[in-house]
Amino acid sequence: MKKSYQFLLFLITVSIFIVLPYFAEAQKIYEGQVLDKTTNLPLPATTVTLQKENISVKTNDRGYFKLLAKDAIKDDVLLFTFIGYKTYQLSVKDVKDYLFIELESTSASLNEVNIKAVKIKNITLEKFWFADIREESKVTGGIMIGNSKFSAKLFEAPVENAILLSVQLGRKDFGNYLVKPNKFARFILHIKRLSNSTGGPGETIITKDVTVQDNSHLITIDFSKDSVLLPSKFFIVIEYLFIPFNEMISVVTEKKAKGLNKKGRQVTEDAAAYSIAYQPVISVYMPHKLSLLWSVDEKGNWKSRQSNKTMAISATIRY
């Protein structure tokens, strides 16, 4: 009886190892954008077909598509077809990431095809006026983080599924520190969705560990190769690293008790006091309206407060 039980357990274990890979490969999502090879304009209503599985979708008005393969046949082929263009074939074996497909028009029917001219745009959200500064005197203030390890800024894109190209940070460089700030600084940057329940930062879309290489007042983080599709509302979150590498030590003068004078009164004297702040210090500016500053409290919850200043953070997107 014991041997039969062990044999049955062995069969179940082997079955799991055989079936799991099948389920792991049972579904596959293909997504990307279809463009005209010559004009670089999106091609809406392009048909995207998985040939052997025989399922199709059409691109939206920006040329985007998303196709779910239920069976994920290993030697299947993706077909991209649009009237007046050469059919493009792509083996699913060659699909590794987000797809950018360029279709080539056929000269015979080029003049017969009427494509809606939706130009691809690159725009910068929340662009700050001193983004290109190099002189310290032009920066009027900065966000100094105390107990909070996180700060965040909300962005609103004009469309859904815009592509994130880069994030820019305005950096304040204080000159009154006892130890000059290291030109290298490390922090973590998160792109997060808007939480419908709290109104603050929610699910993480992508995270980057950033090392600043110089004292430039403009930090640019490149996302052009990450294929990040943004929701219409999203947060850019800075996670500060409280490590010696990022320390800025300042010295100030404070009154310190010296003793009592002949009349029994307390006498004070000037004494040096030290404090530590952490890089990067994000510059602030005054927008046209009140904004919300988001940070994490001692309990780990996101909290916001109204301010007449906002952090110098911008995002460049493509749509």
Side-chain angles (χ1 to χ4, degrees):
M1 183 69 180
K2 186 176 181 181
K3 289 184 178 180
S4 300
Y5 175 77
Q6 289 177 339
F7 181 71
L8 180 60
L9 185 61
F10 171 76
L11 287 178
I12 293 173
T13 305
V14 171
S15 300
I16 290 173
F17 279 100
I18 293 175
V19 172
L20 275 180
Y22 171 78
F23 280 106
E25 296 181 0
Q27 290 191 341
K28 173 72 176 178
I29 295 176
Y30 302 101
E31 59 181 326
Q33 187 180 28
V34 181
L35 308 172
D36 179 291
K37 187 174 182 178
T38 303
T39 65
N40 205 32
L41 293 173
L43 290 177
T46 299
T47 301
V48 184
T49 304
L50 264 174
Q51 191 175 40
K52 292 189 176 181
E53 196 168 340
N54 195 26
I55 55 174
S56 300
V57 294
K58 288 190 179 293
T59 58
N60 67 10
D61 60 349
R62 294 285 171 182
Y64 293 111
F65 70 91
K66 189 172 186 178
L67 189 152
L68 174 62
K70 296 180 180 179
D71 295 330
I73 303 170
K74 289 185 178 180
D75 58 346
D76 210 341
V77 175
L78 282 166
L79 298 178
F80 299 85
T81 56
F82 190 84
I83 297 175
Y85 285 77
K86 297 178 182 179
T87 298
Y88 186 90
Q89 297 187 23
L90 178 65
S91 172
V92 295
K93 295 178 182 177
D94 298 326
V95 178
K96 294 182 175 61
D97 208 340
Y98 189 84
L99 295 170
F100 286 96
I101 304 298
E102 295 179 325
L103 296 188
E104 185 177 354
S105 62
T106 57
S107 56
S109 57
L110 180 60
N111 296 328
E112 301 173 10
V113 180
N114 182 22
I115 305 172
K116 184 181 179 181
V118 182
K119 290 187 177 180
I120 295 178
K121 300 177 182 178
N122 289 357
I123 64 169
T124 300
L125 306 175
E126 300 287 328
K127 185 174 182 179
F128 42 95
W129 62 268
F130 51 88
D132 298 322
I133 61 156
R134 292 296 180 271
E135 296 179 16
E136 170 63 21
S137 59
K138 293 183 180 180
V139 185
T140 57
I143 294 288
M144 300 291 291
I145 299 300
N147 295 327
S148 180
K149 192 179 179 182
F150 298 88
S151 59
K153 184 174 181 178
L154 177 63
F155 289 79
E156 186 167 355
V159 296
E160 195 84 19
N161 292 326
I163 300 173
L164 179 63
L165 298 181
S166 63
V167 170
Q168 300 80 36
L169 307 176
R171 181 188 185 196
K172 175 143 179 85
D173 181 16
F174 290 89
N176 61 337
Y177 281 86
L178 181 67
V179 177
K180 187 176 181 181
N182 186 350
K183 67 178 181 179
F184 301 107
R186 280 190 61 215
F187 62 95
I188 299 174
L189 192 77
H190 306 274
I191 309 298
K192 291 179 175 285
R193 298 181 185 277
L194 171 71
S195 170
N196 293 326
S197 59
T198 66
E203 179 188 1
T204 299
I205 300 173
I206 190 172
T207 293
K208 275 188 181 286
D209 192 326
V210 181
T211 300
V212 179
Q213 301 290 342
D214 55 37
N215 282 322
S216 171
H217 293 160
L218 180 64
I219 302 171
T220 300
I221 300 98
D222 183 23
F223 285 89
S224 61
K225 297 180 181 179
D226 296 295
S227 302
V228 178
L229 294 181
L230 296 168
S232 57
K233 291 184 178 180
F234 62 96
F235 279 91
I236 294 178
V237 178
I238 298 173
E239 179 181 351
Y240 297 85
L241 301 177
F242 296 162
I243 56 177
F245 189 74
N246 291 334
E247 285 182 355
M248 297 185 295
I249 303 173
S250 63
V251 59
V252 294
T253 301
E254 289 185 351
K255 294 295 184 182
K256 182 180 179 182
K258 184 179 180 181
L260 300 176
N261 60 16
K262 294 180 180 179
K263 295 182 179 181
R265 294 179 180 178
Q266 184 72 55
V267 178
T268 61
E269 63 179 354
D270 291 338
Y274 303 92
S275 65
I276 299 176
Y278 292 87
Q279 295 195 85
V281 179
I282 305 302
S283 301
V284 296
Y285 65 98
M286 298 181 69
H288 298 298
K289 57 183 180 180
L290 291 176
S291 64
L292 292 178
L293 294 178
W294 288 86
S295 60
V296 173
D297 63 16
E298 294 84 357
K299 296 181 180 179
N301 300 317
W302 282 102
K303 299 293 182 182
S304 65
R305 60 182 176 87
Q306 275 197 336
S307 174
N308 63 347
K309 295 181 180 180
T310 186
M311 291 186 293
I313 304 176
S314 65
T316 301
I317 64 172
R318 173 177 293 167
Y319 67 95

